[in-house]
Amino acid sequence: MTDVKTPVLIVGAGPVGLIGALDLAWRGIDVVIVEQRYAGEPPPVKCNHVSSRSMEILRRLGLAEAIRAAGLPHDYPNDVAFCTTVTGTEFSRIRIPSVNGRSEPPSVEHPDSTWPTPEPPHRINQLYLEPILFEHAAKEPRIRILNRCILEEIDQTDEAVTARVRNLETGATLVINASYAIGCDGARSTVRRSIGAKFVGEGEIARNLSSFIRAPALLEMIRSKRKPSWMSQAINPRRAGNAIAIDGNELWLIHCRVKPHETDFALIDRDRAIRDVLGVDNNFAYELLGKEDWIARRLVADRMRKDRIFLCGDSAHIWIPVAGYGMNCGIADVVGLTWMLAAVINGWAPPSILDAFERERHPITEQVSRFVAELGVQLVRRRNEPPAGIEAEGAEGDAVRARFGQEMYDMNVGQYCCGGLNFGYFYEDSPLIFYDGEQHPAYSMASFTPSTVPGCRLPHAWLRDGRSIYDALGPEYTLLRFDPSIDASGLIDAAVSHGFPMALLDVDIPPAGGVYGYPLLIVRPDRHVAWRGHAINIDPDRMIGRLRGEDRAGVAGAQAA
């Protein structure tokens, strides 16, 4: 038995756990990751999309360029096409730029091309994303990855977390002592069970028979009928489903929708289902590389924390992958936690700052779960009931497909171009934020209003020198000053005296009449607005106290003028 000591233990080396470790290391914190798989073992072919908000995080960590260089070929269309079969008649298309197309001017033809961000979303399967994250984590001296190790027990005292880990190759037992632990160990999370958290919600919305295949001839068959697309949604009376391009050549993930009367995956003719979705006959050759069958659910853990142990990603929530926001929500969870953990470990905030994590993230995960589940239920019903004549030839069939195509576009464009989920959500009950009485702008899955209402994401802008405003922010808190004549010395001096990291950034774009509105903004490490004002008229010590999580009296008396 060997002991290991670390400030933070992360269980699970999927994208959420790896990004959490990379962010902690970026903030100067040592991390140990426990992972059951071999180093370099291919991940599941699951997640297919890195959201814009996640790409912003990867940009800060210096990884956005490497991620964007991988995935589909740079000229491969990122569109979503709706067809009778994958090789059949197309009747609608949501246009999303390729990597090369992102350099073109924004266009209403591409609904996500006008988003206010330095990092648009990127189509890349987990098969290619995770190895990049793993490679960078493995090279980081502050991160130690224990592959082929399984968490057997985890417990905690008032002072520390203790985990018993077994090496799957040798059988040896390792005891890890950590100040804090994060469970990123998936839907069957051992960490979740250890803190007594339970999933609450809907256990089954739909079933999907999913297959990872190699089909060298499929792309040319598609090209003979239409322009290729990242995703091809097939809807016909025999079987609804979709095909996702993995490498832009011969690798595909095929989701076949399971019909209501089909209660057992094993009894479904997988080959027939794949051919019905693709629209190919029995002579079409493909190789089955893996089975990725899954049940669509809406489940959120009733708690995301117990003292020193936290939950992020699939260990805290699983839902139908509408909008591709499972992994991305997990990434938002973990970087919403890691900056707070680093604040405590680095000594500039007390442990009470951690009380904000669950108060901020749990309501967001619950809300996102309902957004995606409501749309998912509608889509399941509509895909299972295609209109009569969807495959008919001639003018009658064309009319049916045109009507249904518009319906599919309207129902789906919000999930594939989900600006609201990226930029619209806000924290409305945080002990770290100075609320000023103004309502947060409402948002939907697709729509949002950029705002500096405290709790919202800092709206993006390009500075006069060509930098993104996000690239100019400090690593922790930043005071943005749009009017350099305003005296901020009292607050900056108080921050220095408290050992509180706050950078001062004079911004050379005018706030008046624009989205910023106020000449002073305080932005948190996660780029959410913590305070705004026209002058610093709150006692600086009181302000620092609240920002570092030691003001436990609530917002009363702490309003900004």
Side-chain angles (χ1 to χ4, degrees):
M1 185 177 290
T2 307
D3 285 358
V4 171
K5 190 170 184 179
T6 182
V8 180
L9 166 66
I10 293 178
V11 184
V16 174
L18 289 170
I19 289 176
L22 287 162
D23 190 55
L24 284 166
W26 187 80
R27 299 181 187 281
I29 306 299
D30 291 343
V31 187
V32 169
I33 308 177
V34 172
E35 170 57 49
Q36 296 185 40
R37 292 172 294 166
Y38 293 97
E41 183 175 339
V45 189
K46 290 170 58 179
C47 306
N48 293 283
H49 173 70
V50 182
S51 73
S52 180
R53 192 73 175 268
S54 295
M55 289 298 296
E56 291 177 359
I57 294 164
L58 292 165
R59 178 189 182 96
R60 174 172 56 79
L61 295 174
L63 293 172
E65 187 174 328
I67 299 298
R68 206 172 290 282
L72 293 173
H74 285 191
D75 60 351
Y76 196 94
N78 284 197
D79 303 349
V80 178
F82 298 87
C83 325
T84 54
T85 66
V86 172
T87 59
T89 303
E90 178 179 323
F91 50 83
S92 187
R93 180 177 287 250
I94 298 169
R95 300 187 184 280
I96 299 172
S98 65
V99 173
N100 289 346
R102 292 289 180 191
S103 62
E104 299 174 3
S107 167
V108 293
E109 182 179 317
H110 299 121
D112 70 354
S113 66
T114 59
W115 285 356
T117 176
E119 292 290 344
H122 183 56
R123 304 292 188 195
I124 180 173
N125 188 270
Q126 188 172 344
L127 191 66
Y128 304 119
L129 168 67
E130 190 175 300
I132 297 172
L133 299 176
F134 187 92
E135 178 185 3
H136 281 79
K139 291 178 179 178
E140 169 55 56
R142 291 192 176 277
I143 298 174
R144 180 182 179 186
I145 305 174
L146 303 177
N147 285 103
R148 295 297 289 157
C149 288
I150 185 169
L151 176 72
E152 294 196 319
E153 292 180 328
I154 187 167
D155 203 355
Q156 61 181 315
T157 65
D158 290 343
E159 289 77 33
V161 174
T162 302
R164 288 174 59 89
V165 173
R166 178 167 53 88
N167 186 300
L168 294 172
E169 298 298 312
T170 68
T173 298
L174 186 71
V175 176
I176 301 176
N177 296 298
S179 298
Y180 299 95
I182 310 173
C184 302
D185 50 339
R188 297 180 176 87
S189 171
T190 300
V191 179
R192 184 181 65 249
R193 292 195 301 272
S194 78
I195 67 171
K198 298 179 181 178
F199 272 148
V200 179
E202 301 167 65
E204 182 170 331
I205 295 173
R207 294 186 171 217
N208 289 265
L209 190 80
S210 296
S211 307
F212 180 35
I213 70 170
R214 176 179 286 112
L218 183 56
L219 183 57
E220 284 309 311
M221 292 179 69
I222 292 171
R223 282 184 170 142
S224 70
K225 297 288 186 69
R226 59 181 177 85
K227 180 182 177 183
S229 55
W230 162 71
M231 178 183 287
S232 301
Q233 291 272 10
I235 305 174
N236 62 67
R238 296 171 299 287
R239 180 76 64 177
N242 64 46
I244 298 172
I246 303 300
D247 66 346
N249 183 22
E250 61 179 11
L251 298 180
W252 305 84
L253 183 61
I254 312 298
H255 296 307
C256 302
R257 312 301 179 195
V258 174
K259 298 176 182 179
H261 69 275
E262 296 172 324
T263 57
D264 189 339
F265 284 125
L267 298 180
I268 300 172
D269 185 338
R270 183 181 298 269
D271 177 70
R272 183 71 267 151
I274 291 172
R275 293 181 188 280
D276 285 343
V277 168
L278 296 181
V280 297
D281 61 25
N282 291 335
N283 294 320
F284 178 81
Y286 68 88
E287 178 185 359
L288 181 64
L289 302 176
K291 299 177 182 179
E292 305 284 345
D293 304 339
W294 53 279
I295 299 174
R297 314 176 190 273
R298 190 195 70 80
L299 298 172
V300 177
D302 58 1
R303 64 191 305 174
M304 296 177 70
R305 177 197 183 188
K306 184 178 181 183
D307 302 324
R308 292 176 174 270
I309 302 177
F310 301 82
L311 303 177
C312 295
D314 285 357
S315 65
H317 45 75
I318 53 175
W319 48 61
I320 187 169
V322 167
Y325 229 71
M327 177 191 73
N328 293 292
C329 192
I331 292 170
D333 290 340
V334 79
V335 296
L337 170 63
T338 48
W339 76 265
M340 297 180 192
L341 286 175
V344 178
I345 296 167
N346 285 330
W348 60 264
S352 54
I353 195 175
L354 300 172
D355 295 342
F357 169 69
E358 190 171 46
R359 283 176 63 175
E360 292 180 356
R361 291 304 306 168
H362 194 271
I364 295 301
T365 58
E366 179 69 25
Q367 186 176 51
V368 171
S369 78
R370 294 188 182 279
F371 272 154
V372 300
E374 288 170 6
L375 177 57
V377 169
Q378 296 176 38
L379 291 172
V380 167
R381 184 183 307 116
R382 198 66 187 99
R383 289 166 181 161
N384 285 337
E385 301 172 356
I390 187 68
E391 295 182 297
E393 297 181 359
E396 181 179 348
D398 290 343
V400 171
R401 287 186 288 274
R403 288 192 299 269
F404 191 55
Q406 188 63 54
E407 181 182 351
M408 286 294 96
Y409 183 95
D410 294 341
M411 287 184 70
N412 284 278
V413 67
Q415 68 152 315
Y416 293 113
C417 302
C418 51
L421 293 188
N422 275 273
F423 313 121
Y425 71 82
F426 49 82
Y427 298 135
E428 61 182 342
D429 181 33
S430 173
L432 309 181
I433 291 173
F434 290 85
Y435 299 102
D436 58 16
E438 185 173 339
Q439 288 289 109
H440 298 95
Y443 71 99
S444 66
M445 183 181 290
S447 64
F448 67 99
T449 301
S451 174
T452 61
V453 173
C456 291
R457 165 186 177 267
L458 174 72
H460 180 260
W462 295 102
L463 302 179
R464 295 192 200 280
D465 62 7
R467 287 182 300 165
S468 162
I469 193 170
Y470 296 157
D471 295 340
L473 297 175
E476 306 297 350
Y477 278 88
T478 304
L479 172 63
L480 274 68
R481 182 170 63 177
F482 293 86
D483 181 352
S485 69
I486 298 175
D487 182 14
S489 60
L491 179 57
I492 298 301
D493 290 346
V496 171
S497 68
H498 285 284
F500 181 80
M502 180 182 289
L504 174 63
L505 175 64
D506 283 319
V507 184
D508 60 351
I509 55 176
V515 69
Y516 295 106
Y518 287 69
L520 297 171
L521 299 172
I522 294 177
V523 183
R524 307 190 324 176
D526 61 355
R527 294 172 178 164
H528 283 258
V529 176
W531 172 87
R532 63 182 180 175
H534 295 284
I536 299 172
N537 54 5
I538 298 174
D539 176 71
D541 292 329
R542 172 72 187 281
M543 179 177 281
I544 297 298
R546 184 166 181 81
L547 295 177
R548 66 197 295 264
E550 63 184 6
D551 176 8
R552 309 184 57 94
V555 298
Q559 305 293 349

